[in-house]
Amino acid sequence: MNTILKNYYKSMGISEQVFDYCSEIEKGLAGRFHEIDRVAECNQMKVLRAMQNNRLSEACFAPTTGYGYNDIGREALEGIYADVFGTEDALVRPQITCGTHALALALMSQLRPGDELLSPVGKPYDTLEEVIGIRPSNGSLAEYGISYRQVELLPDGSFDYDAIEKALNDKTRMVTIQRSKGYATRPSFSVGQIGELIAFIKERRPDIICMVDNCYGEFVELKEPSQVGADLVVGSLIKNPGGGLAPIGGYLCGSKECIDRAAYRLTSPGLGKEVGATLGVTQTLLQGLFLAPTVVKGALKGAIYAANIYETLGFKVVPDGRESRHDIIQAVEFGDPVLMKAFCEGIQAAAPVDSYVRPEPWDMPGYDSQVIMAAGAFISGSSIELSADGPMKAPYAVYFQGGLTWEHAKFGIMMSLQKIYETGQINLNKAP
Ligand SMILES: *Cc1c(COP(=O)(O)O)cnc(C)c1O
């Protein structure tokens, strides 16, 4: 078996040294992988139960056009999301174009002129800087007279409760908590930690809307932030919950009040959730959700495998090889643009689509430095599929995520190591 596998990898460009090095690392991960299998099993039941309880039927898959009145599939889809996330209601639409759009919708629908938004977890994800108006932009919250305040994390990555208490004021209307680290090297937060932070805020100000940017966190743990007090959780369907099949979309799950406001903003006051044709994507969105716990499981195994390989080679990895996981992102700090590019070239070369192209840094809209991205995905830009990206600036950290199957994630990481090995800058001769 091992020989057959080794021959396959060899025929695809993996050298014996890389194969042997990676095999040694994999042997040490059986216990971790078993735990991940158990979480996926629970989350699979959670999704299946929601589908059954909402009486999902074949009729739900029929496309609607035009206004999309009485779209029973859309109603089932939103009911299922609400059940999976443990919320009163949900808005799950192909008209939500991406994660940033879903988050902008969440913020702009809940906040009114004169209100203040607070981030108690430091700087939000890059693209939200323009939504909020931290970097001036057309149509930002700042242009509507909505102010923003942020409290940095303490040096050890924990919440600065004293400063958060001081930052709360009469204008504070909403709090935004980003679960995943994004392009930062802080730790990602567990659902338990997010629950503690929300409880702290709600004890002082029960009227504040607590929103969680749940991107990359879905199905990593047994619970979602909406099950520990968040009023609104938000994410992208071309990440975890779309299971790699969703071709577009975003979701918001939360209280009925919050979802009503978001629906009136997405479509129009007076129309809300009643319109929005689904054009035939409902079946794919649901099938993707059905597969999502398994897909996230593969991506998580890939992240842990990568962490252990690169940590053993002496690079800084966040999270480290043993830490518990709260999202599917793995950061590896190369401290060197050549190694960072080689890593991305390996991920690209391992892809099922566009494997023959070489990734190059480019000026991506919404980001303040050049970004390099490796992705050869079935769905354009999908980062639940094996992908790697990062801003081309010190510390030259690459953010690696996804993999629709563990087998593919594993091959991608081996290929990344192969490309790095070929730069001549690392030594694989000593056993890990
Ligand atoms: C990906 C991501 C976003 C933005 O989503 P896009 O779909 O890229 O617009 C926001 N927040 C976090 C934490 C993310 O990972």
Side-chain angles (χ1 to χ4, degrees):
M1 186 71 139
N2 218 34
T3 321
I4 297 172
L5 200 52
K6 210 166 176 168
N7 285 337
Y8 267 114
Y9 285 132
K10 199 173 158 197
S11 74
M12 307 222 12
I14 304 289
S15 63
E16 192 151 357
Q17 291 88 334
V18 167
F19 179 88
D20 290 343
Y21 194 89
C22 291
S23 298
E24 272 309 300
I25 298 282
E26 189 183 345
K27 278 184 201 154
L29 299 176
R32 281 302 287 287
F33 284 9
H34 182 66
E35 273 172 49
I36 290 170
D37 290 340
R38 301 300 289 196
V39 172
E41 199 174 337
C42 291
N43 284 328
Q44 182 71 78
M45 290 307 111
K46 191 198 275 191
V47 169
L48 178 62
R49 193 175 57 188
M51 290 181 171
Q52 294 183 349
N53 288 349
N54 282 273
R55 300 179 63 83
L56 182 61
S57 69
E58 196 180 346
C60 296
F61 303 149
T64 56
T65 57
Y67 295 105
Y69 291 131
N70 305 313
D71 184 325
I72 59 163
R74 186 185 67 215
E75 283 162 16
L77 172 68
E78 291 180 337
I80 290 164
Y81 260 78
D83 280 5
V84 166
F85 286 85
T87 57
E88 288 173 1
D89 207 351
L91 190 63
V92 187
R93 300 287 167 122
Q95 287 83 8
I96 300 174
T97 57
C98 62
T100 304
H101 185 188
L103 289 157
L105 173 64
L107 296 171
M108 292 177 167
S109 58
Q110 312 301 316
L111 292 161
R112 297 290 178 270
D115 287 347
E116 188 163 277
L117 171 68
L118 171 67
S119 170
V121 297
K123 188 181 100 54
Y125 192 75
D126 294 44
T127 58
L128 286 191
E129 292 188 0
E130 284 171 281
V131 173
I132 294 167
I134 302 170
R135 276 186 286 141
S137 173
N138 247 335
S140 68
L141 292 174
E143 278 196 349
Y144 285 88
I146 295 159
S147 57
Y148 170 72
R149 201 178 282 259
Q150 125 187 354
V151 172
E152 300 304 324
L153 296 169
L154 291 169
D156 68 354
S158 64
F159 306 127
D160 187 346
Y161 283 115
D162 291 340
I164 292 168
E165 178 137 44
K166 287 198 193 98
L168 295 173
N169 63 65
D170 291 348
K171 290 170 65 186
T172 316
R173 173 80 184 120
M174 193 167 181
V175 158
T176 179
I177 300 165
Q178 185 180 311
R179 177 171 174 183
S180 171
K181 64 175 114 32
Y183 284 158
T185 39
R186 67 142 164 106
S188 294
F189 304 122
S190 68
V191 172
Q193 284 174 299
I194 290 171
E196 281 168 28
L197 177 55
I198 293 173
F200 179 86
I201 290 161
K202 294 273 186 186
E203 256 167 44
R204 281 148 191 86
R205 288 284 304 279
D207 58 309
I208 288 179
I209 298 167
C210 292
M211 177 187 95
V212 174
D213 174 351
N214 207 25
C215 282
Y216 289 129
E218 298 91 350
F219 303 123
V220 171
E221 298 185 42
L222 295 171
K223 279 187 179 178
E224 298 296 334
S226 38
Q227 295 170 299
V228 296
D231 300 292
L232 205 47
V233 292
V234 181
S236 165
L237 301 194
I238 63 165
K239 293 179 179 172
N240 304 16
L245 293 186
I248 191 169
Y251 76 87
L252 286 75
C253 293
S255 66
K256 179 155 190 333
E257 257 193 325
C258 287
I259 296 300
D260 276 347
R261 279 192 288 260
Y264 284 135
R265 172 82 196 199
L266 176 67
T267 62
S268 156
L271 300 182
K273 289 183 76 179
E274 302 306 315
V275 293
T278 46
L279 308 170
V281 299
T282 307
Q283 180 261 336
T284 313
L285 300 189
L286 285 162
Q287 196 174 358
L289 179 67
F290 184 71
L291 294 180
T294 310
V295 171
V296 168
K297 170 176 85 169
L300 267 178
K301 288 181 181 176
I304 291 168
Y305 181 67
N308 281 277
I309 288 173
Y310 284 102
E311 185 171 56
T312 315
L313 289 166
F315 296 104
K316 183 180 172 197
V317 294
V318 182
D320 71 31
R322 276 151 300 281
E323 264 173 84
S324 67
R325 297 275 153 166
H326 312 305
D327 64 17
I328 61 165
I329 315 276
Q330 182 62 49
V332 184
E333 274 185 38
F334 287 108
D336 177 337
V338 174
L339 296 181
M340 182 176 172
K341 265 192 86 176
F343 180 96
C344 291
E345 280 169 19
I347 298 296
Q348 188 73 43
V353 181
D354 292 337
S355 61
Y356 53 86
V357 303
R358 263 166 77 115
E360 290 291 339
W362 66 300
D363 294 300
M364 189 180 168
Y367 296 86
D368 67 357
S369 69
Q370 282 206 316
V371 174
I372 186 166
M373 295 194 138
F378 292 101
I379 304 293
S380 178
S382 167
S383 47
I384 185 62
E385 297 185 53
L386 188 68
S387 51
D389 44 70
M392 289 300 292
K393 60 184 180 189
Y396 296 98
V398 99
Y399 297 81
F400 159 85
Q401 66 269 316
L404 294 184
T405 65
W406 147 241
E407 290 77 6
H408 182 235
K410 173 180 165 176
F411 175 62
I413 296 149
M414 286 170 78
M415 192 53 102
S416 74
L417 183 61
Q418 179 67 35
K419 297 288 179 190
I420 286 177
Y421 183 55
E422 287 169 12
T423 67
Q425 292 193 38
I426 58 161
N427 177 5
L428 297 180
N429 291 330
K430 47 182 192 319

